[in-house]
Amino acid sequence: MQHRWTMKRLINIQPSPLARIILAALPFIITLLLYLWISDMRLSSNPNDKLMPAFSSFATAISELAFTPSKRTGEYLFWIDTVSSLQRLLLGVSISALIGLIVGLLNGAIPLLRANLSPYITVLSLIPPMAILPILFIIFGLEELSKVILIVIGITPFIIRDLQGKTLELPSEQLIKAQTLGASTWQILLRVILPQMVPRLIEAIRLSLGPAWLFLISAEAIAAQSGLGYRIFLVRRYLSMDVILPYVVWITLLAFILDWLLRKLSQRVFPWFHDPR
Amino acid sequence: MSFIEINNVCKHYDKTVVLERVNAKVEHGEFITLVGASGCGKTTFLKMLLGTEVPSRGSITLHNRPIAQEPGPDRGIVFQRYSVFPHLTALQNLILAHEFKHARLIGKLFGQKRNEAIAQAYTMLTSVGLEHADDRYPHQLSGGMQQRLAIAQAFMQQPEVLLLDEPFGALDPGIRGDMHQLVLDIWGKTAINIFMITHDLKEGFYLGTRLWVFDKIRHDPQAPHAYGATITYDIPLGHTDRSTYKTIHRALQRNKPVATRNSQ
C-alpha cells in the first residue's frame, strides 16, 4: 500500500544547520533561566541567602578577585590561581604525554619489550592515584612537584596503554611494506609508527584532560597556596557560592578551550588522519 | 642452480596441513601467476617467499641461500590494501625507500640528496600516471591510483622479486586492464621476478609467463585437514590451448582435486 505522505524514521531526520545551533543552545539557556528563576525566588524570600547568589553578586566577587589587588598580598588572586593551576596541569599533562608516547609506542612495536613491561603497566594503572597522594606529599613535599606527579601518575598509564593498543592496530601490511623498502626497526619507529601515533596521542590527551583536572583540583584542595581548586575549597568555609560557581564555570571554560585547541591543532597538522577515508 | 629453488616445502599449523611437497625451480625474469581456490595455501606460499611465514619442512633458496625469515629489500610486496603509508603524500611515499637506504639514522633526506630522490620519484610517478597527484595523501586517491602508487613504491626499491597478493582484487574490472598493462610495462623494463596471486583465472592466463595452480591431490573425507595443497599445474603461458584453460576453470569451480600434470 502506498502512503501519500509518510514521516521519515526518527533515525533519518537530520537537523538543519540553524536547528542544530538552536538545539545545542537550548539546554544551556534552560539551565541559566532555571537558575535565575530559583535564585530570584530564594533571594526574594531571604535577601541574605548565600546558596544561589544573583548574577550581580558573581560580578562583584569576581571583579574583586580578578581586577582588584588583594589587600593582604597585592596580587590579583584570580589570575594567580589560574596561572598556578594551568602551569601544574600543562606540566603534568606534557610529561605524561611524552612518557606515554615513548613507552606506548615501544611497547606496541617491540614484542620483547611488550612482554617485559605490559603486565607491569597494567598493574600500575590499577593503583588508585588518590590513594598514594599521601605518599607523594611525604616524598615530594607539599609544593608544586607532588601535584604535577599526581597528574603524571594518574594519566600516564592510560596514555601508555592507549598508544600501545593503537600501535598494535596499525595494519601489519604497513610494517611489512616498510621492511621490504629496507627500513630498520629504528627507521620504522621513526618514519612509519611515530608520525601516525602523534595524532592518536593528541586524542589520548584530550580524553585524559578530564582526569587530569580531577587530580589537579584534588591535590590543590588538600595542600596548596594558590590555584583554582585551592580557592574553591578555601572559600567553601564561608559558603561563598558567589566565588565557587564562577570558578567552576571558569575551569569548565578552560577545559573546553584546551580540548578545542588540541582538536584544531590535530586537524590542521594531520589532515590525513581526520579526513574521511 | 636456479634463481629460486623450492624443495619439498611443507607447511602445517598444528594438525592442519596447508601445503605439502611443493617443488619448483624459478629462473630470472619469470612472471608467475598463482591461482587456486580460497584456502588452498597460495597466500601461505607467498608469505614464505616474503619471509613472514617459515616452511615447516623443506627449504626455499634465493641465489642458493636460504630465503631470509623476515621481509627484506630484495623482495618487494604489493598487498590488496594498506600497501601505502597513509601519513605520507604520494611523492613522500615514493622517496621513502631512498630515505631508508641513505639516511640510516634519521630516515629523512635533505638538500641535494633529497632532490635526487625526488627526481627519480617523479620519473616513477609519471610512468604510473600519477605525476599530478604528487602532493595528495593516499585517502585522496582512488583505489586504482593507490595500487598504482603501491606498485611504483615497490619498484623504487628495485627488488629482485616482486610479490603481488591479489593487487587488483578490489578494483573495478575497467581499471584492471590498465593495471595489467602497467605491471607488464614495468616488468618488461626491469625483468625482475614476479609472483602474483589472483582469483581471476583469466588474469592468471593473460599476465605472466607461467601459471601455477594450487590444489589438493589427496582428500580424506574423515579428516579434511590431513592433506595439504601443492602445485598441481605448472604451465608455461603464451601458447596454452583453450581446453587446458577450461579444465582448470572447471576444477576451480568445483573445488575438486585435479590430477597432477606437469606440462614442462
Side-chain angles (χ1 to χ4, degrees), chain A residues 211-227:
Chain A
W213 276 105
L214 169 72
F215 295 126
L216 174 71
I217 306 275
S218 311
E220 285 180 346
I222 294 168
Q225 271 86 51
S226 65

Side-chain angles (χ1 to χ4, degrees), chain A residues 149-170:
Chain A
I149 288 183
L150 181 70
I151 295 174
V152 172
I153 288 178
I155 66 174
T156 306
F158 164 76
I159 297 181
I160 291 177
R161 293 174 75 184
D162 190 54
L163 283 187
Q164 176 182 324
K166 294 283 158 57
T167 303
L168 286 168
E169 279 172 21
L170 280 184

Side-chain angles (χ1 to χ4, degrees), chain A residues 62 65-67 75-91 144 147 151 213 216-217 220 224-232 243-244 246-255 257-258:
Chain A
I62 290 306
L65 283 168
F67 308 114
E75 288 165 332
Y76 295 89
L77 293 177
F78 179 83
W79 301 112
I80 296 275
D81 289 339
T82 304
V83 170
S84 326
S85 285
L86 278 182
Q87 253 174 6
R88 291 163 189 154
L89 186 87
L90 295 182
L91 194 59
E144 298 303 300
K147 297 171 192 68
I151 295 174
W213 276 105
L216 174 71
I217 306 275
E220 285 180 346
Q225 271 86 51
S226 65
L228 297 166
Y230 162 76
R231 193 70 52 201
I232 289 177
V243 174
I244 295 176
Y247 261 62
V248 171
V249 172
W250 177 235
I251 291 171
T252 312
L253 187 67
L254 287 175
I257 291 171
L258 279 179

Side-chain angles (χ1 to χ4, degrees), chain B residues 27-200:
Chain B
E27 301 303 331
H28 265 292
E30 287 195 273
F31 186 155
I32 299 172
T33 50
L34 287 69
V35 299
S38 302
C40 69
K42 52 191 191 305
T43 298
T44 305
F45 180 78
L46 203 76
K47 281 181 177 171
M48 291 196 288
L49 289 177
L50 181 61
T52 54
E53 294 278 2
V54 182
S56 308
R57 272 199 306 277
S59 67
I60 302 176
T61 59
L62 177 72
H63 283 314
N64 295 333
R65 278 194 302 273
I67 212 157
Q69 294 186 358
E70 62 173 1
D74 50 348
R75 288 150 292 149
I77 177 100
V78 176
F79 295 103
Q80 191 171 348
R81 295 175 64 198
Y82 305 124
S83 268
V84 290
F85 298 104
H87 62 294
L88 300 175
T89 63
L91 186 69
Q92 288 169 341
N93 261 292
L94 285 198
I95 63 172
L96 193 61
H98 280 261
E99 295 187 305
F100 285 150
K101 193 171 179 184
H102 299 295
R104 296 308 297 177
L105 197 60
I106 54 169
K108 215 165 165 60
L109 291 175
F110 300 97
Q112 183 60 33
K113 281 188 166 178
R114 183 179 158 83
N115 289 339
E116 285 167 18
I118 288 178
Q120 279 196 39
Y122 268 111
T123 312
M124 187 56 88
L125 272 179
T126 309
S127 70
V128 298
L130 288 176
E131 66 273 23
H132 301 301
D134 55 349
D135 60 347
R136 285 204 234 161
Y137 287 101
H139 74 268
Q140 297 166 315
L141 303 175
S142 69
M145 289 162 94
Q146 283 189 30
Q147 286 310 76
R148 272 188 273 163
L149 181 63
I151 291 168
Q153 188 183 41
F155 273 105
M156 281 294 282
Q157 164 62 28
Q158 296 169 334
E160 292 178 280
V161 180
L162 182 64
L163 308 170
L164 305 173
D165 189 357
E166 288 189 54
F168 316 131
L171 302 182
D172 294 333
I175 300 170
R176 282 188 180 204
D178 297 345
M179 301 296 288
H180 293 164
Q181 204 50 53
L182 173 70
V183 169
L184 286 176
D185 281 352
I186 301 184
W187 173 68
K189 278 181 208 153
T190 54
I192 65 170
N193 266 84
I194 297 185
F195 289 83
M196 181 172 116
I197 292 183
T198 176
H199 261 129
D200 183 349

Side-chain angles (χ1 to χ4, degrees), chain A residues 152-277:
Chain A
V152 172
I153 288 178
I155 66 174
T156 306
F158 164 76
I159 297 181
I160 291 177
R161 293 174 75 184
D162 190 54
L163 283 187
Q164 176 182 324
K166 294 283 158 57
T167 303
L168 286 168
E169 279 172 21
L170 280 184
S172 61
E173 285 91 338
Q174 279 188 27
L175 305 185
I176 292 169
K177 179 81 179 212
Q179 294 174 63
T180 64
L181 297 180
S184 64
T185 298
W186 169 246
Q187 288 174 325
I188 291 174
L189 287 174
L190 206 61
R191 292 295 319 271
V192 179
I193 304 180
L194 178 65
Q196 297 195 69
M197 282 308 124
V198 176
R200 292 167 172 93
L201 173 70
I202 293 178
E203 275 190 342
I205 293 173
R206 288 177 59 200
L207 287 174
S208 308
L209 277 178
W213 276 105
L214 169 72
F215 295 126
L216 174 71
I217 306 275
S218 311
E220 285 180 346
I222 294 168
Q225 271 86 51
S226 65
L228 297 166
Y230 162 76
R231 193 70 52 201
I232 289 177
F233 277 80
L234 184 73
V235 302
R236 178 186 61 108
R237 297 172 201 168
Y238 318 111
L239 218 67
S240 298
M241 291 294 267
D242 52 346
V243 174
I244 295 176
L245 285 178
Y247 261 62
V248 171
V249 172
W250 177 235
I251 291 171
T252 312
L253 187 67
L254 287 175
F256 177 82
I257 291 171
L258 279 179
D259 184 71
W260 182 85
L261 283 176
L262 285 171
R263 186 160 54 91
K264 286 291 158 194
L265 174 79
S266 186
Q267 281 170 354
R268 168 146 311 181
V269 183
F270 309 107
W272 51 267
F273 185 73
H274 295 275
D275 287 1
R277 41 200 84 187

